[in-house]
Amino acid sequence: MTTPTIESLLLAMADDELVLGHRNAEWTGHSPILEEDIAFSNIAQDEIGHALIWYTAYEKLAGRSPDQMAFERPWNEFTCARFVTYPKGDFAYTVVRQFFFDVAEEVRLRSFLASSSEVLRSSAAKILKEEAYHRLHTQGLVERLGDATEESRRRMQAGVTAAYAQALGLFEALPDEAVLVAGGVMTPNIELARSWIEAVAPVLRSVSLTPPVALTADAGGRRKKHLPDLEQLVTDLQSVYRLVPGGAW
Amino acid sequence: MSEQDEKEHLAEFEARIARGEKVEPGDWMPEEYRHNLIRMIGQHAHSEIVGQLPEGKWIPFAPGFRRKLTLIAKVQDEAGHGQLLYRAAETLGATRQEMIEELLAGKAKYSNVFNYPTPTWADVGVIGWLVDTAAVVNQSMLAQGSYGPYARAMRRICYEEAFHIKQGYDAVVALAKGTPEQRAMAQDAVNRWWYPTLMMSGPPDKISEHTERAMRWRIKTKTNDQVRQEFVDLIVPQIRALGLDVPDAECAPDKATGHYQFTRPDWNELKRVVNGDGPCNAERIAARRKAHDDGRWVREALAAKSGQSTKTAPLLA
Amino acid sequence: MTDTQWETYEVFHQSKRGEAHEHVGSVHAPDAQVALQYARDQFARRLKCVSIWVVRTSDITATDYQDESFFSQSTDKSYRDPKTFGAPDHL
C-alpha cells in the first residue's frame, strides 16, 4: 500500500508551531523577570525551529520552501488551530496555553513514532527531545502558579477556562484524515484528544484548577475558518518580506 | 576604621591593581570604587534590557525564518547580558531589584543609543553592526578592568556580541546587495545611527567627569576618546566596503596619525538624551515599567510557593 | 512598594563527561528545580553541556580574601614539587 499524501498534516503542524512561536516571542523583552524572558525566548525559537522541520518536510513533497509557505502564503490559507492565533494575553494565559500545547505535541508526536510515514517518525523523535524540556518548564509553572497566591490562582484559572476549549481545537479532524488514518500515517485526532484530556487532568487537579464543564472545541482552523487575530498576525509576519517578494533579506 | 588603616588599605588596593591583579567581592575597596562600579555596571545592565526594545520591536516583522530566529536569539542574549551584569553589580552590595527600580523611576542612566527610534527593518541590521561593534570595542576594554566579576561577565558577553555583529552585518549586506529600495533603507539607517553610535563612548575626555580616576583604578583601561577613535578606525572601511557612505564629509584617513578624522557629535544632544530627554526615553521606560508591573504577581507567586522571603543577595560571585 | 527578590543560585557547568564542573555564573530563582531550568537557558544555550549543578548562594561557605594567612606557607615546602627532585623525568 502506498503512503497517502501527508502535505495537509505537515502544514497544519507547521502552521501551529510557527504561529505559537510568533506569539511566544512577543514576550521577548517584556517578561515578568529576566530569567523567564530568556526561557520563553528559547521556547519561541524551539517552536519556530519545529515549524521549519515540518515546512522542510513539506517542501520535499510539494516543492515550496519554508519561507514561501510562511511569508508568501495568504493568511486565509493557513491551517493552524485557532488556539495558537489568540493574542498572548497575560502571563498566566501564555503559560497555560504553552503547557496545553506541549502536552498536545507530546501526545501527537508519540503517536507518530509508530506511523507508516518515515518522515513523521524521524521528525517526531527529533522534536520530542526539545518538547520534553518545554513541558518540564511549563508544567512546573502551572504547578507553582496554580495555587500559590490568590491572584495567581485567579489568573491561572482564568487561563485554563479560556484556553481549554481552544486547545481541543488542536484536535479538529483534518479534511483528509480518514485516508491518513487508514494508511497508518496517524492516529485519529479524536483519540489524541482523549489522551490529551487524560494527560492534563492530573496536573490541573494537583493545584485545584478546573477545566470548564460544558464546552465545545474551538474548531475551524483546520478548515481555514480563522479569526481576525490570525489575519493581523500574518500581516505583521509578512510585512517586511513582502516589500520585496522573493527578494533576499 | 582609622585614617591610618584606611591609608594602608588604599595603598594595598592600588598596589594590587598596579600589579594587574583583579579585585574580588569581599575585598577592601574604596567606597568611591564600589560606587563607581555599581553605577557603571548598573548603567550597562540597564542598557542591555532597555536595548532589547528597539530591536525587539522588529521580531514580529523579521523577513524570513533565519532572520526571525536570529533576531529572537539576539534580543534574548540582551536579556542574558542584563542578567549577568546585574549579578556582577550585586556582588558589590546592590540588589537587582533596587537597580531596576531606580531605572523605572527614571533615576538611572543607560546608553544614549537606545533612546532613538527604529522605524525600518534596516535599523536591526545597523544596530547589530554599528552599535554592537562600538559596544564590543568598549567591552573588550572593560574585560581588562580590575573588578573580577565585571571582567568575567564581559568576557562571556563579548563572545556573544561577536554573533550580534555578524548577524547585523549579514542583514546589512543583504540590503546593500538588494534592490535600490533596500539599499536606500540601509543608507538611511547608517545616516541616522552614525552620530548616536559615536556618542556611545561617552563625552570627550576633556569634559568627562569620571575618566581620570576610572583609569587609575582600572575601572576603564582606555579613555572615551580612545575608544571612539578605535571604533571609527574599525567601522569606516567596513561601511565603505559595502558601497555605503559615512554621513560625514570630513571623515578621511589622516596620514600623520594613521587614524580617521571625523566630525564630533553634538555633545549637548548626548547630554539631553542621557538625562532623559531623547526621542524615545519615555516610551522605553514605560515599556519596561509595564513588563515589571504586569509581571509582579508572577514573581510574588513563585516566591510565595517556595516559601522564600525577600532576601538580599550575598556577595559571592 | 518593595518587590520580590528571588534568592540566587550559583551555577556550575560540566562541558563533557570527565571534565570538572566549572562555575559559570548565577541565576535568581524561586527554588532549586527552577534554578536548574533557568541555568540551562542562560548558561547552556550555546555552550556544550552534559550536567549542571546549582547551589543556593547562601549555602556556600567561602574563605575571606582578607585572610591571606589561610593560604600562606612560610616554611619551605618545595619537597612537594616533583620538579625539585633530580630523578629523571621518564619515571
Side-chain angles (χ1 to χ4, degrees), chain A:
Chain A
M1 190 177 74
T2 57
T3 306
T5 172
I6 59 170
E7 281 99 323
S8 65
L9 175 58
L10 291 174
L11 280 185
M13 293 187 296
D15 292 348
D16 280 352
E17 300 266 19
L18 172 64
V19 172
L20 188 59
H22 181 103
R23 284 291 184 220
N24 285 334
E26 291 173 345
W27 284 101
T28 302
H30 306 276
S31 301
I33 189 160
L34 282 174
E35 281 82 357
E36 208 54 66
D37 205 284
I38 300 166
F40 258 84
S41 302
N42 250 7
I43 291 176
Q45 288 169 62
D46 287 349
E47 301 298 14
I48 296 171
H50 301 164
L52 204 44
I53 290 176
W54 295 129
Y55 284 128
T56 304
Y58 175 85
E59 181 182 22
K60 288 195 178 123
L61 298 172
R64 300 199 68 204
S65 75
D67 275 348
Q68 285 174 318
M69 294 311 289
F71 293 89
E72 294 181 15
R73 198 166 32 136
W75 71 275
N76 52 12
E77 291 295 315
F78 278 64
T79 54
C80 47
R82 287 180 177 184
F83 172 66
V84 292
T85 70
Y86 290 103
K88 74 185 201 298
D90 69 355
F91 194 69
Y93 176 75
T94 286
V95 163
V96 170
R97 171 160 67 177
Q98 186 61 41
F99 168 62
F100 283 174
F101 186 79
D102 292 337
V103 176
E105 277 300 281
E106 198 176 307
V107 165
R108 191 185 302 280
L109 295 170
R110 279 190 195 287
S111 80
F112 285 160
L113 297 176
S115 169
S116 60
S117 156
E118 198 284 323
V119 65
L120 291 186
R121 286 198 306 275
S122 59
S123 305
K126 203 156 140 190
I127 296 174
L128 271 169
K129 283 189 191 160
E130 279 182 351
E131 279 296 337
Y133 176 74
H134 293 187
R135 177 160 178 191
L136 182 73
H137 189 66
T138 55
Q139 183 171 326
L141 286 174
V142 170
E143 289 166 346
R144 284 170 176 78
L145 294 172
D147 64 354
T149 63
E150 207 175 301
E151 180 173 11
S152 77
R153 173 170 177 70
R154 176 174 58 73
R155 287 177 179 270
M156 291 298 282
Q157 181 59 57
V160 169
T161 304
Y164 197 89
Q166 296 170 359
L168 288 173
L170 286 167
F171 304 105
E172 178 182 359
L174 295 168
D176 53 354
E177 181 158 323
V179 187
L180 294 170
V181 171
V185 172
M186 63 175 287
T187 309
N189 265 298
I190 184 88
E191 280 181 36
L192 297 178
R194 242 175 259 133
S195 306
W196 179 85
I197 290 169
E198 280 169 26
V200 298
V203 179
L204 297 181
R205 203 159 45 233
S206 73
V207 280
S208 308
L209 293 171
T210 47
V213 188
L215 56 89
T216 26
D218 185 2
R222 304 293 185 220
R223 286 168 288 123
K224 305 175 185 173
K225 295 200 183 322
H226 293 298
L227 302 167
D229 295 318
L230 181 68
E231 182 177 13
Q232 185 58 54
L233 185 149
V234 173
T235 304
D236 290 347
L237 177 77
Q238 300 179 341
S239 59
V240 175
Y241 191 93
R242 280 175 178 270
L243 291 177
V244 184
W249 287 100

Side-chain angles (χ1 to χ4, degrees), chain B residues 275-291:
Chain B
N275 286 316
D277 195 20
C280 301
N281 297 59
E283 181 188 333
R284 302 283 183 252
I285 295 299
R288 290 299 342 171
R289 170 167 290 292
K290 181 173 187 332

Side-chain angles (χ1 to χ4, degrees), chain A residues 35-36 39 42 133 137 144, chain C residues 28 31 34 37-38 40-41:
Chain A
E35 281 82 357
E36 208 54 66
N42 250 7
Y133 176 74
H137 189 66
R144 284 170 176 78
Chain C
H28 284 267
D31 59 57
V34 174
Q37 295 171 17
Y38 288 158
R40 168 204 187 261
D41 290 336

